[in-house]
């Protein structure tokens, strides 16, 4: 939603307060940083960030040094007709450089099937 409809979130800022809530660290995703910067810089909106715990905090709390991490990768949930492999090269590069790799695993929780999405049906399945 955020990647495709960020302007809808920003459009409400001229009518009142707008909150954007995320799970984990609000700045781990570039989309979230972009949203805040565009609100403040382009629209003059006063912003406030309330930091939260994240998986990166948890890694550091376990004794892993964040300086020793390479690029974080997202591994999507494989579908019968969709098995992307773009994350393999990043993991390989991290290994070759002697870095840790944090893999964010996509999970399925009550989402629209591709078929329902294409038909415009708001049916969410396990």
């Amino acid at each position: 939603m955020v990647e495709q409809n960020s302007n809808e979130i920003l459009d409400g800022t001229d009518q009142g307060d707008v909150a954007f809530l995320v799970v984990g660290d609000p700045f781990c995703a570039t989309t979230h940083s972009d949203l805040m910067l565009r609100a403040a810089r382009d629209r003059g909106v006063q912003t406030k960030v309330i930091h939260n715990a994240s998986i990166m905090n948890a890694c550091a709390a376990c004794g892993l040094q964040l300086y020793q991490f390479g690029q974080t990768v997202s591994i999507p949930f494989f579908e019968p007709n969709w098995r992307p492999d773009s994350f393999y090269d990043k993991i390989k590069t991290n290994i070759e450089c002697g870095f840790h790799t944090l893999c964010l695993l996509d999970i399925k929780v009550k989402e629209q099937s591709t078929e329902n999405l294409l038909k415009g049906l708001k049916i969410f399945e396990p």
Side-chain angles (χ1 to χ4, degrees):
M1 190 260 180
V2 179
E3 289 83 0
Q4 291 83 20
N5 301 88
S6 61
N7 284 330
E8 289 181 29
I9 297 168
L10 294 173
D11 287 344
T13 60
D14 62 347
Q15 299 167 16
D17 291 341
V18 173
F20 179 67
L21 306 174
V22 300
V23 176
D25 187 319
F27 294 121
C28 276
T30 55
T31 304
H32 303 158
S33 300
D34 172 68
L35 188 63
M36 192 194 87
L37 289 172
R38 286 191 295 134
R41 183 186 56 221
D42 299 347
R43 297 177 185 235
V45 175
Q46 182 179 358
T47 61
K48 179 180 179 181
V49 177
I50 300 172
H51 292 279
N52 192 8
S54 73
I55 190 63
M56 296 305 280
N57 300 125
C59 290
C62 292
L64 296 172
Q65 295 297 312
L66 296 180
Y67 296 114
Q68 294 297 316
F69 273 82
Q71 197 168 6
T72 299
V73 299
S74 295
I75 300 177
F77 191 86
F78 287 177
E79 299 284 346
N81 298 327
W82 188 64
R83 296 178 64 90
D85 59 7
S86 57
F87 55 89
Y88 289 126
D89 289 336
K90 292 177 184 176
I91 294 172
K92 182 176 181 263
T93 299
N94 287 347
I95 291 170
E96 290 170 351
C97 293
F99 293 142
H100 303 302
T101 302
L102 177 61
C103 297
L104 306 175
L105 303 178
D106 191 10
I107 58 173
K108 281 283 188 186
V109 287
K110 298 236 179 199
E111 295 182 2
Q112 285 179 291
S113 67
T114 305
E115 182 179 329
N116 287 336
L117 188 62
L118 292 173
K119 289 180 180 178
L121 302 174
K122 301 236 183 242
I123 300 172
F124 295 83
E125 302 169 349

